[in-house]
Amino acid sequence: MVILTGPTAVGKSALALWLAQEFDGEIISADSRTLYRGMDIATAKPSSADLALVPHYLIDVVNPDEEFNLADFQSQAYALIDEIAARKKRPMVVGGTLLYINALVGGWAIPKVEPEWDLRRQLEEEAEARGSEALYEELKQLDPAAAARILPSNTRRIIRALEVYRTTGRLFSEERGNKSPPYRFLKLGLTLDRAELYKRADTRIDQMFERGLIEEVQKLLAAGYKADLPSMTSLGYGQVSAYLRGELTLVEAKERMKFSTHRYIRQQYTWFRRDPEIIWLDMADPDLMAKAGAEVRNFLTFCE
């Protein structure tokens, strides 16, 4: 199985499409935002033309107010991998949510604790009042192994880890074990000079507004999806919602979206550096496709 990852805006989708067509592949999305129906522009979902070229999975699977957790991703992705392979096609996992990829490759035994909604709301209120950093420090004291796997800015995951502990008395990290799945993996990572990547991300954000991001958010809010939903506070949607409430000017909303995207890219690289198995390819390399194709070809030959 081929995995293609890398920071947001680097150009994973275009390379993934080429590789899928070259090696008879089908794409499983490992992106925690393209899961949501109706949230198309700020999530940079594949276009209808791209979807027609190559089958894609785990896109548009839940509504913005529905729960889709790490265990859901892992179980559905495993089922899709088996289904794609049974049809003699090549499963390809593509996305920048490294938590999803690690759960898949590592065969994590993910806690099956059902959401405790009252406790979750309480923790969300604590995060708002004290800041997510305070909750992260609490998690570091209670469960340093879990904290090491979670970014300090990922309030949702911090809250989930604390929720499991407070509900069951068991550490979040102890709920996970590793059971290697029966697949061989090739991990390719797409990268780009940081200044160029920021510029590319900024251009894409400007294009999102030109394509109707404000109208998309208005439509979601009009459909009854609350602005404080986790999905609706993600990159782009949170800033535009603040603009629509009159809390930001349009210029400020764009600048905050760009600043938050740059910060997210830095956080992604922090995670990527922890994975020595990723083979990095430079987006600016004129021989990018040839090198990516050679890596996949050599991997498939090795697996035969």
Side-chain angles (χ1 to χ4, degrees):
M1 187 171 70
V2 177
I3 293 171
L4 177 62
T5 190
T8 191
V10 76
K12 295 183 293 295
S13 297
L15 181 59
L17 277 174
W18 182 81
L19 287 171
Q21 292 176 90
E22 190 76 5
F23 295 98
D24 204 17
E26 299 187 1
I27 294 172
I28 299 168
S29 173
D31 187 304
S32 61
R33 303 196 307 147
T34 55
L35 294 161
Y36 297 110
R37 301 185 188 103
M39 301 179 71
D40 303 329
I41 296 174
T43 62
K45 277 181 190 167
S47 67
S48 55
D50 292 344
L51 295 174
L53 278 175
V54 174
H56 287 65
Y57 305 95
L58 295 186
I59 292 175
D60 290 339
V61 295
V62 291
N63 292 326
D65 59 350
E66 293 177 321
E67 177 89 7
F68 190 95
N69 58 35
L70 186 61
D72 294 326
F73 169 80
Q74 187 195 52
S75 62
Q76 292 191 31
Y78 281 152
L80 284 164
I81 291 166
D82 291 343
E83 179 186 314
I84 293 167
R87 288 189 273 103
K88 307 300 182 185
K89 301 289 185 178
R90 181 74 51 202
M92 298 180 64
V93 175
V94 180
T97 304
L98 200 56
L99 184 70
Y100 280 8
I101 292 170
N102 287 342
L104 201 64
V105 174
W108 291 356
I110 300 166
K112 302 297 182 184
V113 179
E114 291 295 319
E116 189 67 42
W117 297 110
D118 289 340
L119 175 57
R120 185 173 294 185
R121 278 190 290 271
Q122 178 190 327
L123 288 165
E124 287 169 351
E125 289 169 5
E126 286 184 38
E128 190 170 342
R130 299 165 53 203
S132 60
E133 298 84 2
L135 290 187
Y136 186 70
E137 287 302 317
E138 180 181 340
L139 181 61
K140 280 172 67 177
Q141 295 297 320
L142 288 170
D143 191 351
R149 290 198 185 112
I150 300 173
L151 288 171
S153 60
N154 194 337
T155 308
R156 191 175 182 185
R157 296 296 300 163
I158 295 166
I159 286 174
R160 177 59 176 160
L162 291 172
E163 178 187 338
V164 168
Y165 176 77
R166 294 191 188 181
T167 302
T168 66
R170 299 192 301 272
L171 298 180
F172 193 60
S173 57
E174 290 177 353
E175 292 290 302
R176 283 198 178 128
N178 292 336
K179 184 180 178 182
S180 297
Y183 318 115
R184 286 176 176 165
F185 299 95
L186 171 68
K187 291 185 189 176
L188 297 178
L190 196 52
T191 190
L192 186 64
D193 171 78
R194 192 71 61 91
E196 286 300 312
L197 183 55
Y198 288 162
K199 190 185 300 183
R200 187 182 176 101
D202 290 349
T203 299
R204 188 168 77 162
I205 288 168
D206 289 334
Q207 292 170 346
M208 287 174 177
F209 280 90
E210 292 168 9
R211 289 175 53 213
L213 177 57
I214 293 171
E215 292 76 12
E216 181 173 275
V217 177
Q218 286 174 322
K219 186 177 178 180
L220 289 162
L221 293 169
Y225 297 116
K226 304 294 185 183
D228 60 353
L229 287 169
S231 59
M232 292 290 286
T233 57
S234 62
L235 276 174
Y237 297 98
Q239 290 83 4
V240 172
S241 293
Y243 161 70
L244 292 172
R245 292 193 299 271
E247 297 170 4
L248 298 174
T249 66
L250 182 55
V251 171
E252 288 170 337
K254 287 183 180 180
E255 289 306 309
R256 287 203 186 182
M257 187 175 172
K258 291 174 182 179
F259 174 82
S260 296
T261 300
H262 295 183
R263 181 176 59 191
Y264 179 55
I265 288 169
R266 291 194 296 272
Q267 291 170 344
Q268 285 181 302
Y269 272 114
T270 297
W271 276 98
F272 293 140
R273 281 195 293 269
R274 298 176 184 177
D275 191 341
E277 295 182 343
I278 298 175
I279 298 169
W280 289 102
L281 302 168
D282 192 334
M283 179 66 185
D285 189 335
D287 296 323
L288 169 66
M289 287 187 173
K291 289 180 179 178
E295 291 288 353
V296 174
R297 210 166 281 111
N298 291 340
F299 169 71
L300 297 179
T301 301
F302 172 78
C303 290
E304 287 177 355

